[in-house]
């Protein structure tokens, strides 16, 4: 059964955040809220966790996993960003965007798109997510909590606990979060290509 963590949305309890992060460091797969919708996340390098995400979501090897980062300094360790792209991303973060960029050698090979050698990165504008990332000290390997053959992502913590109780290790609930997945912008060619229109405004990238 999955552990259920009830976290205050504006003042996350340090003890609870610490318990969640301890679980992540111990190999747990967690469902957690973001500024777009719930996500599945585990520690970077957790191969079993990555496999479980693929299994829950029925993903193929071409799926871009996302590294959810606390800030730009952290993001810059894992992807290559030139000056023009830096300015464009900086203006849109933190926010409900995922950016696809060429990965550095810091990114485990199994996370990369097999042909492009790219990875997704984002910096969320969500108090609880930021608290988790600050405590963890590294990005969370993540994917939107969107189940196969369902058009809408799960948005209620209690429902996630009910439906995924035996396939995730923990559910972090801080009340309402977004209901739309992130907007995905592919910068791997140097130019902005809108891959998915979601919660983030696409106008700056049109």
């Amino acid at each position: 059964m999955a552990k259920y963590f009830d976290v205050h949305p504006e003042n996350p309890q340090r003890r609870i955040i610490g318990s969640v992060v301890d679980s992540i460091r111990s190999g747990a797969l967690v469902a957690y809220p973001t500024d777009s919708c719930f996500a599945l996340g585990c520690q970077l390098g957790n191969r079993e966790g990555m496999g479980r995400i693929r299994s829950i979501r029925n993903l193929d090897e071409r799926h871009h996993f996302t590294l959810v980062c606390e800030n730009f300094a952290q993001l810059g360790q894992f992807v290559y960003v030139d000056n023009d792209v830096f300015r464009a991303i900086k203006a849109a973060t933190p926010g409900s965007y995922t950016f696809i960029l060429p990965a550095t050698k810091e990114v485990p090979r199994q996370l990369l798109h097999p042909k492009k050698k790219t990875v997704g990165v984002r910096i969320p504008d969500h108090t609880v997510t930021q608290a988790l990332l600050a405590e963890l000290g590294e990005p969370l390997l993540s994917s939107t909590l969107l189940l196969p053959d369902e058009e809408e992502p799960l948005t209620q913590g209690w429902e996630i606990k009910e439906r995924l109780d035996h396939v995730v290790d923990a559910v972090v609930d801080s009340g309402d979060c977004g209901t739309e997945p992130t907007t995905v912008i592919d910068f791997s060619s140097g130019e902005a290509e809108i891959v998915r229109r979601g919660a983030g405004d696409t106008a700056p990238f049109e």
Side-chain angles (χ1 to χ4, degrees):
M1 283 179 57
K3 293 179 182 176
Y4 186 81
F5 295 98
D6 189 5
V7 183
H8 193 282
E10 295 169 10
N11 298 294
Q13 304 93 320
R14 290 190 65 180
R15 178 182 58 80
I16 297 178
I17 293 296
S19 294
V20 176
V21 168
D22 285 346
S23 297
I24 292 168
R25 287 183 178 136
S26 298
L29 175 63
V30 303
Y32 70 97
T34 76
D35 53 345
S36 58
C37 53
F38 271 85
L40 293 168
C42 64
Q43 190 170 26
L44 188 62
N46 181 348
R47 288 193 176 202
E48 185 196 358
M50 188 175 72
R52 290 165 68 190
I53 292 173
R54 286 192 193 278
S55 175
I56 290 167
R57 292 206 52 205
N58 193 25
L59 300 172
D60 65 24
E61 65 173 10
R62 294 184 302 278
H63 175 76
H64 269 107
F65 280 94
T66 299
L67 300 181
V68 178
C69 301
E70 181 186 1
N71 51 38
F72 239 95
Q74 194 175 77
L75 181 148
Q77 297 174 40
F78 296 93
V79 289
Y80 294 106
V81 188
D82 68 26
N83 288 339
D84 290 342
V85 173
F86 174 88
R87 282 192 289 270
I89 294 177
K90 185 78 169 168
T93 56
S96 301
Y97 296 92
T98 298
F99 300 100
I100 296 171
L101 290 157
T104 68
K105 289 184 169 57
E106 296 295 319
V107 180
R109 187 172 51 81
Q110 65 268 25
L111 295 187
L112 303 180
H113 185 284
K115 290 184 178 176
K116 297 182 177 181
K117 307 304 183 203
T118 49
V119 71
V121 287
R122 68 172 300 227
I123 303 171
D125 185 12
H126 191 277
T127 302
V128 173
T129 317
Q130 283 289 340
L132 289 171
L133 293 168
E135 181 71 17
L136 184 61
E138 61 180 82
L140 265 171
L141 166 61
S142 297
S143 184
T144 303
L145 182 37
L146 183 62
L147 298 179
D149 303 321
E150 295 192 16
E151 292 184 10
E152 298 292 327
L154 298 177
T155 59
Q156 300 293 328
W158 63 266
E159 184 185 11
I160 293 167
K161 170 85 165 87
E162 205 169 74
R163 294 187 59 185
L164 302 182
D165 204 24
H166 298 290
V167 292
V168 301
D169 301 305
V171 176
V172 180
D173 190 359
S174 61
D176 290 342
C177 68
T179 57
E180 266 191 294
T182 55
T183 290
V184 179
I185 310 292
D186 188 342
F187 269 116
S188 58
S189 68
E191 300 291 326
E193 177 190 346
I194 299 168
V195 176
R196 178 177 72 196
R197 295 175 187 271
D201 182 14
T202 57
F205 304 99
E206 301 281 5

